[in-house]
Amino acid sequence: MIGKLVKDRVKSGKQAINELYNTGYYGRPKGDVLELTLVEAAYLLYKNKLEITLDDRTLGFEEFFTEASKRQQFFELKYIVYKDLRERGYYVQPSVTDFRVYPRGGHPGKTQAKMFVYVRSERVPMLLNDLISQYNAALNVRKQMVLAIVDEESDLTYYEVKKADIKGNMATSLPGDSTIPATMLEDRVLIWDEQASHLLHENGFYGKPLDNERLQLSLVESAYLLEQGVIEIKDSVKEDMVDLTQFSEMAYSIEPDFMRKYNTYVDLRSRGFVPKTGFKFGTHFRVYNEVQSISKLPHSEYLIHAIPQDYEFFLPVMSRAVRLANSVRKQMLYAVEYASGIEYVDIGRIKM
Amino acid sequence: MIGKLVKDRVKSGKQAINELYNTGYYGRPKGDVLELTLVEAAYLLYKNKLEITLDDRTLGFEEFFTEASKRQQFFELKYIVYKDLRERGYYVQPSVTDFRVYPRGGHPGKTQAKMFVYVRSERVPMLLNDLISQYNAALNVRKQMVLAIVDEESDLTYYEVKKADIKGNMATSLPGDSTIPATMLEDRVLIWDEQASHLLHENGFYGKPLDNERLQLSLVESAYLLEQGVIEIKDSVKEDMVDLTQFSEMAYSIEPDFMRKYNTYVDLRSRGFVPKTGFKFGTHFRVYNEVQSISKLPHSEYLIHAIPQDYEFFLPVMSRAVRLANSVRKQMLYAVEYASGIEYVDIGRIKM
């Protein structure tokens, strides 16, 4: 069977429709012509199912591959992903995204495609905004959104992207019926009273004991408890009480991410979670569904990182975050603040 | 026992030398006076072993702690670390670094200190240059260098920093006796010849098969094999052979880190290692001591990231890198290029 290379397509005749499309769903029939993308054609050439000509000259694999690489951006990456998906037994068609992939046992004409697969090089940063619009496009037509990331050695990792509407089990009742005094020291807040310290630590897992009597609160915990009227905060330098705005300004000067972290903290608490620092995992928070007893601390379910809307994912960094979360049996989520509230983006590694 | 707060010291009399220094190695005797740092004094106050006065007025814990926090930068952090070390049973003395820590069973006057401990907040980035001069200072007096990193919730993680002189077991003989043709496509290099592909992949674990016949090389692998005269590289666009300089320029435009990665790659190969991409771990390389057979791939020993001399560690990022390396039973090393060659800095989590 012969196909002709024309611009960024390879075109073949009626026989190809019978032998390539009807049996393997390669290409798209257009009247009596079967139109193949460059990756499809390269794969069929590799499988010895197609001969490709340019100006009546037959091209070898090397020649065609090199030519295709010049005619289409990211051709090699797309070829690597296409070949991998085909060899895993999926039927694949090109689409507005890189590929539409049919479910196992399904194929064009019989079933709907199941996934939109986007091919990405690990070297090219990925804008959160692009990711979200691609996710929405997939969601609109009820497709799963999959990223296929190709590393410098052409190894492939697949990630599913979805939004997660998460809920915890922690009652949000706040401890204390009188306001607890606290002091803002250099970059953390201390509760001095023994009873209040135990109350806050044991109901809601706030802070960390400095010793048996006193409790240290992180900046986000302090702001939250201040806003809820549970504590009042004295500035140790000015020796004056601070309100949430003043406290937030101090916190912001210590930690530029403060407001973003704080808004996510408040949202997680209101969803019934117990968020604690995720420092050891390199994320803003590790998150518990529920903490009934601090002496029998449960496994934390999520690692959550609060990111701005204009965030750019560096893919090796994202890869490391997801990999680490999985290695400690947690789910990696990114929290993004929109006018309508905070949304959680779940990027999880999947086996295809 | 009474101590007087004077600037950033607390001073006590002869009785304190007997009861605090001679039994617990708190403070430094200076004639008839025992001089305590603010963290030592706060700890003794907490243990009810000392009363502290300022202008003849006795200070409670809250008052002294708040006052100390105003008089010394990072006082709370240092207190948290000091208290932790003391409670683990170590004798601790202040030093030009934050603390000198004595070995278990040892104490001032009997033994030398074993470690220099540096206290760091997770929020404050750490300059590689500072880290290295601190390491050298510790090394000069044969001390172990330890970082104590305090996170926003006052949780502590200890890391030992050292230089590692690593050696692999891989014979560095290069395959092939004639130059193998390769093509630079968009951002990777392809070997088309079946025999050459197998030779390079199976001897030295170069590249990744595109299929049974062809091999893809990463940019650093390509540059290395080009420099060694094993391959020659044709630029698919200019249809001309490129030399190492031309290739490096192309690679640099694709990957701004290229030269740093390449120099580390060459050094690792010359040390008898097999470096492959560490993308899935978020580092430049995963490194094998030896690869005898690609069908029985051994466990890789190291994750290595090449960093510039003016590198700044963001501690949550460093924490994640080390944590991930440990979770997959590998050692995290940072490769730094100096005029004298590449040095490997080992930052490993330790239990105190």
Side-chain angles (χ1 to χ4, degrees):
Chain A
M1 205 130 19
I2 293 174
K4 284 184 187 174
L5 174 56
V6 184
K7 289 179 186 163
D8 64 348
R9 290 288 185 271
V10 170
K11 294 182 178 177
S12 193
K14 209 168 179 177
Q15 196 197 344
I17 299 183
N18 281 328
E19 292 185 21
L20 299 178
Y21 183 77
N22 291 342
T23 61
Y25 306 102
Y26 294 100
R28 272 105 0 247
K30 305 210 162 165
D32 278 353
V33 173
L34 185 69
E35 198 178 277
L36 298 154
T37 57
L38 296 175
V39 291
E40 288 174 312
Y43 185 68
L44 290 166
L45 180 59
Y46 155 67
K47 301 283 276 182
N48 293 318
K49 288 185 176 170
L50 188 69
E51 208 181 302
I52 301 172
T53 60
L54 174 64
D55 305 333
D56 295 326
R57 201 167 51 81
T58 299
L59 303 178
F61 186 86
E62 174 179 347
E63 223 176 342
F64 177 71
F65 204 83
T66 307
E67 194 55 44
S69 165
K70 284 190 254 179
R71 292 183 183 213
Q72 182 179 22
Q73 210 194 0
F74 301 127
F75 168 78
E76 298 119 270
L77 298 186
K78 290 179 205 283
Y79 178 76
I80 291 163
V81 175
Y82 180 84
K83 180 168 179 289
D84 186 71
L85 289 168
R86 276 280 175 181
E87 287 176 352
R88 287 172 189 277
Y90 289 105
Y91 291 117
V92 182
Q93 280 281 331
S95 82
V96 281
T97 74
D98 289 314
F99 301 119
R100 279 178 295 137
V101 175
Y102 288 80
R104 288 193 187 282
H107 58 72
K110 181 186 171 193
T111 43
Q112 292 283 312
K114 187 183 165 207
M115 310 168 200
F116 281 175
V117 173
Y118 295 80
V119 177
R120 297 271 182 179
S121 161
E122 63 147 323
R123 294 199 182 103
V124 183
M126 178 174 74
L127 283 171
L128 172 66
N129 277 331
D130 289 350
L131 191 75
I132 296 296
S133 24
Q134 288 158 359
Y135 168 76
N136 288 334
L139 190 71
N140 272 339
V141 289
R142 279 173 293 159
K143 303 282 179 268
Q144 211 180 334
M145 172 171 177
V146 173
L147 291 174
I149 300 179
V150 186
D151 74 21
E152 60 177 328
E153 282 172 11
S154 311
D155 250 359
L156 258 173
T157 319
Y158 292 98
Y159 295 90
E160 184 179 356
V161 179
K162 57 188 175 200
K163 284 193 183 163
D165 186 18
I166 51 174
K167 288 270 174 284
N169 299 319
M170 194 76 180
T172 50
S173 75
L174 284 157
D177 37 28
S178 63
T179 311
I180 299 164
T183 309
M184 170 77 186
L185 298 178
E186 196 176 353
D187 72 346
R188 54 204 77 208
V189 168
L190 258 88
I191 309 272
W192 310 97
D193 180 71
E194 183 170 353
Q195 217 185 324
S197 291
H198 283 275
L199 190 72
L200 284 176
H201 191 56
E202 284 154 29
N203 297 285
F205 198 23
Y206 294 98
K208 180 179 160 127
L210 177 69
D211 50 41
N212 282 335
E213 292 172 43
R214 286 155 282 249
L215 191 71
Q216 307 163 81
L217 298 172
S218 74
L219 297 175
V220 284
E221 288 174 328
S222 306
Y224 178 72
L225 291 170
L226 177 63
E227 201 269 332
Q228 300 285 328
V230 177
I231 63 172
E232 55 179 20
I233 302 178
K234 190 169 80 177
D235 176 346
S236 72
V237 180
K238 293 186 191 148
E239 300 202 350
D240 223 348
M241 294 299 168
V242 292
D243 63 18
L244 185 64
T245 308
Q246 291 164 320
F247 184 79
S248 299
E249 277 165 13
M250 283 158 63
Y252 170 76
S253 73
I254 294 167
E255 189 170 65
D257 283 355
F258 175 76
M259 280 315 297
R260 192 158 58 236
K261 277 179 69 175
Y262 174 64
N263 291 336
T264 299
Y265 183 91
V266 172
D267 187 67
L268 286 167
R269 278 278 176 193
S270 77
R271 285 170 181 266
F273 287 109
V274 180
K276 296 294 280 182
T277 179
F279 167 69
K280 288 200 178 72
F281 308 103
T283 56
H284 289 140
F285 302 111
R286 67 182 196 278
V287 175
Y288 299 87
N289 272 341
E290 191 175 14
V291 176
Q292 287 298 356
S293 154
I294 52 162
S295 57
K296 282 190 219 153
L297 215 54
H299 179 74
S300 61
E301 300 290 322
Y302 303 103
L303 295 180
I304 296 188
H305 206 64
I307 58 177
Q309 285 183 37
D310 62 355
Y311 189 73
E312 246 188 350
F313 288 97
F314 286 87
L315 296 177
V317 174
M318 187 200 88
S319 167
R320 170 152 68 194
V322 173
R323 173 104 194 196
L324 176 55
N326 293 349
S327 83
V328 291
R329 294 177 299 120
K330 300 181 201 305
Q331 206 175 327
M332 180 71 217
L333 302 179
Y334 293 89
V336 193
E337 197 182 8
Y338 293 99
S340 55
I342 287 172
E343 302 205 5
Y344 296 88
V345 180
D346 174 0
I347 302 183
R349 209 167 147 189
I350 52 168
K351 296 234 182 274
M352 287 294 285
Chain B
M1 203 130 22
I2 293 174
K4 285 184 184 169
L5 175 57
V6 184
K7 292 181 185 161
D8 65 347
R9 290 286 184 274
V10 171
K11 292 181 180 179
S12 193
K14 209 168 177 176
Q15 196 197 344
I17 298 183
N18 281 329
E19 291 185 24
L20 298 177
Y21 183 78
N22 291 343
T23 62
Y25 305 101
Y26 295 100
R28 270 104 2 246
K30 305 211 162 164
D32 279 353
V33 173
L34 186 69
E35 198 179 277
L36 298 153
T37 57
L38 296 174
V39 291
E40 288 175 312
Y43 184 68
L44 290 166
L45 180 58
Y46 154 66
K47 301 284 276 182
N48 293 317
K49 289 185 177 170
L50 187 69
E51 209 181 301
I52 300 171
T53 60
L54 174 63
D55 305 331
D56 295 326
R57 201 167 52 79
T58 299
L59 303 177
F61 186 85
E62 174 178 348
E63 222 175 342
F64 177 71
F65 205 82
T66 307
E67 194 54 45
S69 164
K70 284 189 254 180
R71 291 183 184 214
Q72 182 179 23
Q73 209 194 0
F74 301 127
F75 167 78
E76 299 118 271
L77 298 186
K78 289 178 206 285
Y79 178 75
I80 290 162
V81 175
Y82 180 83
K83 181 169 178 287
D84 186 71
L85 289 168
R86 274 281 175 182
E87 288 175 354
R88 288 173 188 277
Y90 289 104
Y91 291 118
V92 183
Q93 280 282 331
S95 82
V96 281
T97 74
D98 289 314
F99 301 119
R100 278 178 297 138
V101 176
Y102 288 79
R104 290 194 186 282
H107 58 72
K110 181 185 171 196
T111 43
Q112 292 284 312
K114 187 184 164 206
M115 308 167 202
F116 281 174
V117 173
Y118 293 81
V119 177
R120 296 272 181 178
S121 161
E122 64 147 321
R123 293 197 182 103
V124 183
M126 179 173 73
L127 284 171
L128 171 66
N129 276 332
D130 289 352
L131 191 75
I132 295 296
S133 23
Q134 287 159 359
Y135 169 76
N136 288 334
L139 189 71
N140 272 339
V141 290
R142 278 171 294 159
K143 304 281 178 268
Q144 213 180 333
M145 172 173 178
V146 173
L147 291 174
I149 300 179
V150 185
D151 73 22
E152 60 178 327
E153 282 172 10
S154 310
D155 249 0
L156 259 173
T157 318
Y158 293 99
Y159 296 89
E160 183 178 358
V161 179
K162 58 189 175 200
K163 284 192 184 164
D165 187 17
I166 50 175
K167 287 270 173 285
N169 298 319
M170 194 74 180
T172 50
S173 75
L174 285 155
D177 37 29
S178 63
T179 312
I180 299 165
T183 309
M184 169 78 186
L185 297 177
E186 196 176 353
D187 72 347
R188 53 205 76 208
V189 168
L190 259 86
I191 309 272
W192 310 97
D193 180 70
E194 184 170 354
Q195 215 185 324
S197 292
H198 284 274
L199 190 73
L200 283 176
H201 192 56
E202 285 154 28
N203 297 285
F205 197 23
Y206 294 98
K208 180 178 160 129
L210 177 70
D211 51 40
N212 282 335
E213 290 173 44
R214 286 155 283 248
L215 190 71
Q216 308 162 81
L217 298 173
S218 74
L219 297 176
V220 283
E221 289 174 327
S222 306
Y224 179 71
L225 292 170
L226 177 63
E227 200 267 335
Q228 300 286 326
V230 176
I231 63 171
E232 55 179 20
I233 302 178
K234 191 169 78 179
D235 175 347
S236 73
V237 179
K238 294 187 190 148
E239 301 203 353
D240 222 348
M241 293 300 167
V242 292
D243 63 19
L244 185 64
T245 308
Q246 291 164 320
F247 184 79
S248 300
E249 278 164 12
M250 284 159 61
Y252 170 77
S253 72
I254 294 167
E255 188 170 65
D257 284 354
F258 175 76
M259 280 315 295
R260 193 157 57 238
K261 278 179 68 174
Y262 174 64
N263 291 337
T264 300
Y265 183 91
V266 172
D267 187 66
L268 286 168
R269 279 277 177 193
S270 79
R271 284 169 182 266
F273 288 109
V274 179
K276 296 293 281 183
T277 180
F279 168 70
K280 287 198 176 74
F281 309 102
T283 56
H284 289 140
F285 302 110
R286 67 182 197 278
V287 175
Y288 299 88
N289 273 341
E290 190 175 15
V291 176
Q292 287 298 355
S293 154
I294 52 163
S295 57
K296 282 190 219 152
L297 215 54
H299 178 73
S300 61
E301 301 290 321
Y302 303 103
L303 295 180
I304 296 187
H305 205 65
I307 58 177
Q309 284 183 37
D310 63 356
Y311 190 74
E312 246 189 348
F313 287 97
F314 287 87
L315 296 177
V317 174
M318 187 200 87
S319 168
R320 170 152 69 195
V322 173
R323 174 105 191 192
L324 176 56
N326 292 349
S327 83
V328 291
R329 294 178 299 121
K330 299 182 203 303
Q331 206 176 326
M332 181 71 215
L333 301 180
Y334 293 89
V336 192
E337 198 181 9
Y338 293 100
S340 54
I342 287 173
E343 301 205 5
Y344 296 87
V345 180
D346 173 0
I347 302 182
R349 209 165 148 190
I350 52 167
K351 297 234 180 276
M352 287 296 283

